[in-house]
């Protein structure tokens, strides 16, 4: 450059780098360039990056983080970081508070939400920046985790294959000492595994056998597979011939496949036997295989393929035309298209479920697989595949779904029955009180008795609901069914109606059964009412008992002895096979709307099954119906009919704490007890009960409490009061059955149970019984299931 001429005005130069202004400009330029580089790295990073403040509020996220989650940047900024993770993972691994001074990186694996409601598995690396912000790098490792899971499953399958392989598998070290052996290898060598490990290959060789030759050693060192036949002597003195295929591993050890080929001279027989084993395995698994020669169209089937499809093994060659006959009308076109697409090289699923129709008309569900094998030019050579009959598996899955539906309905039934029992307790209690105050000539007495009858019938319906839902506790006792039928005959006649002739024939010589008497009465009543509805124009109802042998398919363990057969038959309209297939299903009814609940026969089936019995039906349209109920005979000859119980005095002057959240039920019980002389303290729940007791200085003799209440429940309240007052007696009441309302963990001597609905007389008698019960050791049977 030339020196500027003198006299000219020099142009203004920027501040030099060493001047204060120049240094500031340089720092600002460096900062700007650093910011540009940071933003470029931030946005171009393949991993997601998020920046949040010390309170974990998101300040910024990069493009990769948005792509991972599906959220836009505006949708994420400002949210708490914890909102982006699955709550269950945050409970196990809360967000870490990272101090800038710590200078550490915290790595976690958690699930993060996507915008569409799904989630992915994220590996997060979190560190604190010098300015107090939190930097988090997010990496989607869903595929890696899935790959690790598949790898672990593969290793487990490989271990299972080795353990259950039909050939011996061994691993020897560089000195030819066994370090691993599967059960089959131990069986071939005749040594237990702990004996075999530590032995050398040469210890098993028969005298004179060359063992491992130098050529074999060289081949193994070169990485080639060495095959050979060896003779060995087993500890029991027998000699075996084994075929060994060996190959060295990277660490110098050698893995060997050992096959016992002692009977090689009978190779043909062994081959046939092996084929039979394969056929047996395929038969057990309902798994058939096939192979198609594309050029000739010849199809080779395993024997199980014939069994699955029902095609006769008549010696005729299998062709596509014969196989096409098995195709289901709705699935055949799909299967044929799959074959064509596979041969043409178009993508097809590796496996597919479809239906086939056997020559006898039956339909089976199968899982089919196929693979086309091609030559080097891509021309199809053969097609191999399999069919597995999965009909039973799909039926079991359908049955499981139905069982889950029934369980849900059962839970609903139990809840409805609980609420209904509370209402019925009030209705029955007050109508009994009304009747006690009415004379025989009172004009209102007939109406009150009709209310009581309707309430009792409603109570019977709740028992059906509880029995159907398996939520009613059975009171097992030994009784004579003939006696019960004799007592029920007079009750049945007005229920059945004058237009139907009824005959009860207790023909069984031995009619003792162990069951819940009330439930068995319910079975007889429901079957009789079902018969009545099947004979609208009149007919005949026969109820008969007899001793019989257990039927085929008897579900109980009583198949070793006779059972009791209860037969209820009618001359009604009968049932078609389609109706018979559904009659025991809940809420199934053929009656008009409003004339049936669909619970009667479902309840019968539930009670009989719970008792250990078996029920079947024989019927045809226009020929009536006959229900056969097989019940196990009782081994104990002692019946529960020991005469009428003595009437207990139901009055008293003790102090009773009454805890019941239903105000109407609480008012009824308090009134009943006060009329009989008891001093009653009332509370709506457990917390209020404890407050009432805190202000009651006198003694407390009995706690009467509902089991299911908001807040402190009846069982917890009873447990607390029993600890504070060891001599206290407890009566649990509940609209649920004893199965749900039982006093688990409570002293059975001090605690009793009363099922709603109950009458005032029953309540008073039970209260007196509990108060008068003598002290003693806890009973093994749990709380009184009255």
């Amino acid at each position: 450059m030339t020196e500027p001429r003198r006299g000219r005005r020099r142009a203004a130069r920027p501040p030099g780098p060493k001047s204060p202004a120049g240094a500031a400009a340089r720092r600002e330029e460096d900062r700007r360039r650093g910011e540009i580089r940071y933003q470029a790295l931030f946005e171009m990073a393949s991993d997601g990056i998020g920046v949040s403040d010390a309170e974990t509020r998101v300040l910024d996220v990069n493009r990769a983080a948005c792509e991972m989650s599906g959220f836009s940047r505006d949708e994420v900024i400002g949210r708490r970081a914890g909102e982006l993770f699955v709550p269950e993972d945050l409970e196990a691994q809360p967000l870490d508070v990272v101090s800038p001074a710590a200078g550490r990186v915290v790595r976690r694996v958690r699930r993060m939400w996507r915008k569409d409601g799904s989630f992915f598995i994220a590996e997060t690396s979190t560190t604190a920046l010098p300015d107090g912000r939190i930097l988090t790098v997010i990496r989607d490792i869903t595929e890696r985790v899935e790959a690790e899971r598949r790898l672990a499953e593969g290793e487990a399958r490989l271990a299972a294959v080795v353990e259950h392989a039909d050939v011996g598998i061994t691993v020897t070290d560089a000195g030819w000492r066994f370090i691993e052996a599967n059960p089959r290898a131990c069986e071939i060598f005749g040594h237990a595994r702990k004996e075999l490990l530590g032995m050398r290959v040469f210890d098993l060789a028969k005298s004179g056998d060359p063992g491992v030759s130098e050529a074999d050693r060289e081949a193994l060192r070169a990485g080639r597979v060495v095959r050979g036949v060896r003779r060995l002597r087993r500890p029991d003195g027998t000699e075996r011939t084994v075929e060994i295929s060996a190959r060295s591993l990277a660490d110098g050890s050698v893995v060997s496949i050992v096959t016992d080929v002692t009977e090689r001279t009978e190779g043909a027989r062994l081959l046939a036997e092996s084929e039979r084993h394969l056929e047996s395995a395929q038969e057990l698994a309902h798994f058939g295989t096939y192979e198609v020669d594309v050029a000739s169209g010849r199809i080779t089937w395993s024997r199980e393929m014939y069994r699955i499809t029902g095609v006769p093994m008549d010696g005729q060659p299998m062709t596509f035309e014969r196989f096409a006959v098995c195709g289901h009308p709705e699935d055949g076109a799909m299967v044929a298209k799959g074959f064509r697409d596979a041969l043409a090289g178009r993508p097809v699923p590796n496996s597919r479920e479809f239906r086939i129709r056997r020559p006898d008309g039956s339909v089976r569900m199968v899982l089919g697989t196929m693979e086309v094998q091609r030559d080097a030019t891509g021309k199809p050579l053969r097609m191999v595949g399999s069919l597995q009959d999965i009909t039973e598996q799909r039926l079991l899955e359908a049955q499981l779904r139905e069982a889950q539906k029934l369980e849900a309905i059962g839970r609903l039934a139990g809840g409805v029955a609980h609420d209904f029992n509370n209402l019925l307790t009030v209705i029955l209690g007050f109508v009994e009180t009304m009747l006690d105050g009415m004379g025989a000539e009172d004009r209102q007495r007939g109406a009150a008795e009709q209310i009581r009858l309707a309430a009792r019938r409603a109570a019977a319906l709740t028992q059906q609901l509880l029995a159907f839902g398996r939520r009613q506790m059975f009171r097992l006792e030994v009784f004579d069914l003939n006696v019960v039928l004799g007592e029920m005959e007079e009750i049945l006649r007005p229920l059945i109606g004058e237009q139907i002739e009824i005959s009860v024939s207790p023909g069984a010589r031995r009619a003792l059964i162990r069951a819940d008497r009330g439930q068995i009465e319910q079975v007889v009543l429901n079957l009789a009412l079902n018969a009545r509805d099947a004979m609208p124009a009149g007919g005949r109802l026969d109820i008969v008992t007899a001793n019989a042998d257990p039927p085929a398919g008897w579900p109980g363990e009583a198949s070793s002895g006779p059972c009791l057969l209860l037969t209820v038959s009618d001359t009604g309209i009968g049932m078609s096979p389609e109706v018979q297939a559904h009659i025991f299903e809940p809420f199934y009814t053929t009656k008009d709307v409003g004339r049936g609940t669909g619970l009667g026969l479902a309840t019968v089936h539930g009670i009989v099954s719970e008792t250990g019995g078996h029920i079947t039906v024989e019927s045809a349209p226009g020929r009536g119906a006959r229900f056969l109920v097989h019940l196990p005979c009782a081994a104990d000859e002692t019946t529960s009919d020991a005469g009428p119980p003595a009437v207990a005095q139901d009055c008293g002057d003790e102090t009773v704490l009454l805890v019941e959240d239903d105000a109407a039920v609480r008012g009824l019980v308090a009134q009943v007890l006060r009329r009989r002389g008891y001093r009653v303290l009332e509370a709506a729940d457990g917390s209020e009960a404890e407050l009432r007791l805190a202000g009651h200085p006198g003694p407390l003799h009995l706690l009467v409490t509902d089991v299911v209440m908001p807040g402190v429940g009846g069982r917890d309240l009873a447990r607390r009061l029993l600890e504070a007052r060891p001599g206290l007696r407890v009566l649990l009441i509940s609209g649920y059955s004893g199965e749900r309302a039982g006093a688990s963990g409570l002293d059975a001597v001090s605690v009793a149970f009363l099922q709603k609905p109950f009458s005032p007389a029953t309540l008073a008698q039970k209260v007196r019984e509990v108060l008068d019960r003598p002290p003693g050791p806890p009973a093994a049977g749990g709380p009184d299931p009255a």
Side-chain angles (χ1 to χ4, degrees):
M1 297 180 60
T2 59
E3 183 177 318
R5 294 181 181 178
R6 295 181 180 180
R8 287 188 179 180
R9 186 177 180 180
R10 295 183 178 180
R13 294 183 179 180
K18 293 184 179 181
S19 67
R26 183 61 177 267
R27 285 195 300 271
E28 176 61 23
E29 179 67 17
D30 291 343
R31 187 198 63 77
R32 187 181 63 80
R33 291 178 179 177
E35 183 69 22
I36 294 173
R37 287 195 297 269
Y38 165 77
Q39 287 296 332
L41 291 173
F42 187 77
E43 289 299 325
M44 295 174 61
S46 60
D47 291 334
I49 301 175
V51 180
S52 59
D53 60 20
E55 284 72 34
T56 73
R57 192 176 301 279
V58 180
L59 302 176
D60 197 4
V61 291
N62 70 344
R63 174 186 52 80
C66 295
E67 291 176 351
M68 288 180 188
S69 64
F71 290 104
S72 68
R73 179 172 297 176
D74 292 339
E75 292 173 324
V76 176
I77 291 176
R79 297 178 64 177
R80 295 285 185 179
E83 300 176 15
L84 305 177
F85 294 91
V86 176
E88 292 83 351
D89 293 1
L90 285 181
E91 292 178 4
Q93 293 184 350
L95 290 178
D96 300 278
V97 178
V98 183
S99 171
R104 62 189 180 94
V105 177
V106 179
R107 292 183 174 85
R108 293 286 185 266
V109 175
R110 302 186 185 94
R111 292 172 295 173
M112 294 189 67
W113 291 117
R114 292 192 178 98
K115 185 176 181 179
D116 61 5
S118 63
F119 58 81
F120 63 95
I121 302 174
E123 180 183 69
T124 61
S125 300
T126 304
T127 188
L129 299 175
D131 59 3
R133 293 180 300 167
I134 306 300
L135 176 68
T136 302
V137 178
I138 306 167
R139 177 167 296 175
D140 186 347
I141 61 169
T142 305
E143 294 183 359
R144 190 187 80 191
V145 171
E146 179 63 20
E148 291 173 352
R149 183 189 64 80
R150 290 196 297 267
L151 177 61
E153 291 177 352
E155 291 175 347
R157 286 193 294 270
L158 178 60
V161 168
V162 171
E163 186 70 11
H164 299 92
D166 196 35
V167 296
I169 302 175
T170 66
V171 180
T172 54
D173 60 17
W176 300 101
R177 194 175 304 275
F178 290 102
I179 56 177
E180 288 292 345
N182 72 340
R184 178 56 180 156
C186 297
E187 181 182 348
I188 293 174
F189 296 143
H191 286 275
R193 187 173 183 273
K194 63 180 180 180
E195 297 173 352
L196 188 62
L197 298 184
M199 295 178 65
R200 300 181 61 186
V201 171
F202 311 107
D203 298 333
L204 302 176
K206 179 190 173 185
S207 177
D209 190 285
V212 183
S213 67
E214 186 57 37
D216 291 341
R217 296 172 188 262
E218 184 61 31
L220 289 172
R221 285 193 292 267
R224 297 194 299 271
V225 177
V226 174
R227 297 181 176 86
V229 177
R230 297 288 184 267
R231 297 281 296 174
L232 60 87
R233 183 182 296 277
R234 304 201 325 182
D236 60 3
T238 59
E239 296 180 359
R240 309 297 292 177
T241 303
V242 296
E243 184 178 73
I244 301 176
S245 297
R247 187 168 190 168
S248 62
L249 301 178
D251 60 356
S253 59
V254 176
V255 60
S256 301
I257 307 298
V258 184
T259 307
D260 189 338
V261 292
T262 306
E263 291 79 19
R264 182 175 290 277
T265 55
E266 301 179 16
R269 183 184 66 81
L270 289 176
L271 177 60
E273 183 178 350
S274 176
E275 291 176 349
R276 287 195 297 271
H277 288 167
L278 177 60
E279 290 176 2
S280 297
Q282 291 190 355
E283 183 177 0
L284 289 173
H286 303 294
F287 188 89
T289 58
Y290 64 88
E291 180 178 330
V292 181
D293 185 280
V294 176
S296 64
R298 184 173 179 270
I299 303 177
T300 303
W301 272 13
S302 67
R303 296 176 66 89
E304 186 60 21
M305 286 287 293
Y306 289 94
R307 283 188 284 264
I308 291 174
T309 60
V311 174
M313 297 183 63
D314 51 11
Q316 299 182 16
M318 179 52 58
T319 61
F320 274 110
E321 288 72 18
R322 292 190 71 187
F323 177 69
V325 175
C326 303
H328 190 276
E330 298 179 7
D331 296 349
M334 173 192 69
V335 176
K337 182 178 182 300
F339 279 116
R340 292 193 299 269
D341 289 345
L343 290 174
R346 291 187 286 270
V348 294
N350 292 331
S351 62
R352 176 178 291 171
E353 292 184 14
F354 55 91
R355 292 165 293 179
I356 59 172
R357 184 173 59 186
R358 290 175 170 174
D360 62 3
S362 61
V363 176
R364 308 294 291 180
M365 177 65 73
V366 297
L367 176 64
T369 64
M370 63 178 173
E371 179 183 274
V372 177
Q373 298 177 350
R374 306 175 184 275
D375 61 14
T377 64
K379 178 182 178 181
L381 298 177
R382 65 183 61 83
M383 178 185 294
V384 295
S386 65
L387 282 186
Q388 184 177 14
D389 189 338
I390 58 174
T391 306
E392 283 72 22
Q393 177 182 342
R394 293 295 175 261
L395 289 176
L396 288 175
E397 292 173 355
Q399 292 173 3
L400 175 60
R401 288 192 293 270
E402 290 300 316
Q404 291 171 337
K405 292 179 184 177
L406 292 180
E407 174 65 17
I409 295 173
R411 291 180 181 274
L412 174 63
V416 170
H418 166 259
D419 293 339
F420 202 28
N421 278 335
N422 275 340
L423 298 174
L424 291 174
T425 299
V426 178
I427 295 172
L428 281 171
F430 282 109
V431 78
E432 292 280 0
T433 303
M434 292 171 57
L435 286 169
D436 289 343
M438 291 181 179
E441 303 300 327
D442 195 314
R443 288 184 300 175
Q444 300 298 326
R445 186 174 184 87
E449 289 180 345
Q450 288 296 321
I451 294 173
R452 178 171 61 180
L453 177 61
R456 287 178 175 175
R457 292 180 63 185
L461 178 58
T462 64
Q463 298 306 307
Q464 291 184 30
L465 286 169
L466 289 170
F468 159 67
R470 303 296 192 273
R471 282 164 173 76
Q472 182 176 9
M473 186 170 63
F474 283 69
R475 297 184 60 191
L476 299 180
E477 56 183 317
V478 177
F479 60 89
D480 192 318
L481 183 58
N482 288 340
V483 175
V484 172
L485 292 178
E487 296 173 352
M488 292 187 66
E489 185 172 358
E490 294 303 319
I491 302 175
L492 290 174
R493 291 188 184 279
L495 291 175
I496 298 304
E498 297 180 355
Q499 76 278 14
I500 297 176
E501 180 183 357
I502 181 172
S503 172
V504 178
S505 303
R509 297 186 305 277
R510 185 172 183 271
L512 292 179
I513 60 174
R514 186 172 186 271
D516 184 300
R517 176 169 177 159
Q519 295 298 315
I520 297 301
E521 291 175 349
Q522 190 71 49
V523 168
V524 176
L525 177 62
N526 283 6
L527 291 177
L529 294 177
N530 185 73
R532 179 199 65 185
D533 294 340
M535 298 182 288
R540 179 181 175 87
L541 171 65
D542 289 295
I543 302 176
V544 182
T545 65
N547 295 116
D549 293 328
W554 175 258
E557 65 276 2
S559 57
S560 59
C563 63
L564 180 65
L565 173 61
L566 169 65
T567 305
V568 179
S569 55
D570 63 70
T571 58
I573 58 177
M575 293 176 283
S576 66
E578 292 77 13
V579 173
Q580 293 180 50
H582 299 283
I583 56 172
F584 295 122
E585 295 178 3
F587 305 112
Y588 176 82
T589 178
T590 58
K591 301 174 185 177
D592 295 335
V593 176
R595 294 195 58 199
T597 63
L599 284 174
L601 292 179
T603 301
V604 168
H605 187 275
I607 294 173
V608 172
S609 299
E610 193 76 15
T611 307
H614 184 56
I615 183 170
T616 54
V617 61
E618 298 174 354
S619 182
R623 297 185 180 181
R626 186 166 71 138
F627 288 85
L628 297 95
V629 180
H630 289 81
L631 299 170
C633 289
D636 185 5
E637 296 291 339
T638 302
T639 70
S640 62
D641 188 9
V647 177
Q649 176 59 257
D650 60 2
C651 297
D653 59 356
E654 290 90 346
T655 301
V656 179
L657 174 60
L658 171 61
V659 188
E660 167 64 62
D661 60 317
D662 189 296
V665 176
R666 186 172 66 253
L668 170 67
V669 175
Q671 182 185 103
V672 170
L673 295 180
R674 288 191 177 111
R675 285 186 175 182
R676 286 164 172 78
Y678 296 101
R679 294 183 294 275
V680 181
L681 306 175
E682 297 184 45
D685 54 39
S687 300
E688 184 180 342
E690 292 179 330
L691 291 175
R692 291 298 305 272
L693 282 181
H696 174 70
L700 179 65
H701 302 91
L702 175 66
L703 168 66
V704 179
T705 178
D706 191 12
V707 175
V708 181
M709 296 184 296
V712 179
R715 282 189 294 264
D716 292 336
L717 177 62
R719 193 173 291 110
R720 294 181 188 179
L721 295 186
L722 283 171
E723 291 176 357
R725 303 168 183 257
L728 181 67
R729 298 306 171 98
V730 177
L731 176 59
L732 301 176
I733 59 176
S734 179
Y736 290 106
S737 68
E739 178 181 341
R740 177 170 177 179
S744 175
L746 299 177
D747 185 351
V749 173
S750 303
V751 181
F753 177 73
L754 183 59
Q755 172 83 50
K756 297 176 185 176
F758 46 75
S759 67
T762 302
L763 171 64
Q765 182 178 351
K766 191 66 179 179
V767 166
R768 190 68 259 164
E769 175 189 328
V770 175
L771 287 170
D772 293 340
R773 182 178 296 174
D784 186 351

